Amino acid sequence: FADDMKKLVIFDLDGTLLNTIADLGNAANYTLKELGLPQHTLDEYRLMVGNGMRKLIMRALPEDKAVNDAFVDTTLAAFLNYYAAHIDVYTKPYPGIPKLIKALSTNGYTLAVASNKIQAGAQKLIEKFFPDIEFVAVMGNSPDYPLKPDAALVEYIMQKAGTDRQHTIMVGDSGTDIQTARNAGIPII
């Protein structure tokens, strides 16, 4: 590697590596339906994702329910329970992504994932769709780190990979990813 060449590529998961919107939307709609609340289209859910599962649920709920923390907590728990069991029904990699990941890995790049998806879900999806690829870290939402756009996940991944800002790049699909990269002081695609 040249000194200024990127060595570590940190990917967002939902909307970047994997098209997960159908499973997220279906799980949210299932939960809303069980509560007798209005449901949303997948296009509407595209505008609700990107800031973690709690925010997704708050955005999906009617306003009067979204301000009630206890109701949000109960709804989130029901959503996560259903989503965990149905996380990979419709989810699949975007066209060309498996080939890209394989090429980067084969060419010596260190790969990682920084996601606001629940940790167990992020891990499960990476293992299912990229079983032959070694990721230095697959980081999702956990009590140990704040959600993106906080730079903590990126900082941890760089430390684990033994690299620095100069040799790291992030790949994402949302304003949250752009802000995360800015907060970490790294470039983003």
Side-chain angles (χ1 to χ4, degrees), residues 19-175:
N19 185 346
T20 58
I21 197 69
D23 285 326
L24 285 165
N26 287 336
N29 277 343
Y30 175 86
T31 306
L32 292 170
K33 184 178 179 185
E34 290 292 299
L35 295 169
L37 297 171
Q39 299 168 57
H40 305 281
T41 67
L42 292 185
D43 279 340
E44 289 172 315
Y45 281 115
R46 286 181 215 289
L47 303 174
M48 296 181 199
V49 295
N51 300 105
M53 301 296 190
R54 185 176 179 79
K55 281 280 193 206
L56 167 62
I57 293 304
M58 289 173 72
R59 290 169 180 155
L61 287 170
E63 251 181 78
D64 62 319
K65 306 274 190 213
V67 296
N68 179 334
D69 281 343
F71 191 84
V72 171
D73 290 344
T74 304
T75 306
L76 176 62
F79 164 80
L80 290 174
N81 187 46
Y82 183 87
Y83 184 59
H86 301 87
I87 196 168
D88 57 358
V89 176
Y90 300 104
T91 292
K92 60 186 182 294
Y94 285 102
I97 290 293
K99 188 175 175 182
L100 169 69
I101 295 298
K102 182 78 172 159
L104 289 171
S105 178
T106 301
N107 286 300
Y109 287 88
T110 301
L111 305 176
V113 171
S115 175
N116 280 343
K117 180 180 286 306
I118 51 174
Q119 177 64 41
Q123 195 71 46
K124 178 179 179 177
L125 291 175
I126 288 296
E127 288 170 5
K128 176 176 180 168
F129 292 109
F130 307 101
D132 303 329
I133 304 296
E134 184 182 334
F135 287 82
V136 69
V138 176
M139 302 298 295
N141 179 4
S142 78
D144 300 331
Y145 297 95
L147 292 174
K148 295 184 305 183
D150 191 288
L153 286 181
V154 172
E155 299 283 347
Y156 171 79
I157 291 167
M158 286 189 298
Q159 181 183 14
K160 189 166 183 192
T163 192
D164 57 19
R165 286 171 177 74
Q166 182 183 350
H167 298 97
T168 303
I169 192 164
M170 189 166 176
V171 180
D173 71 310
S174 71

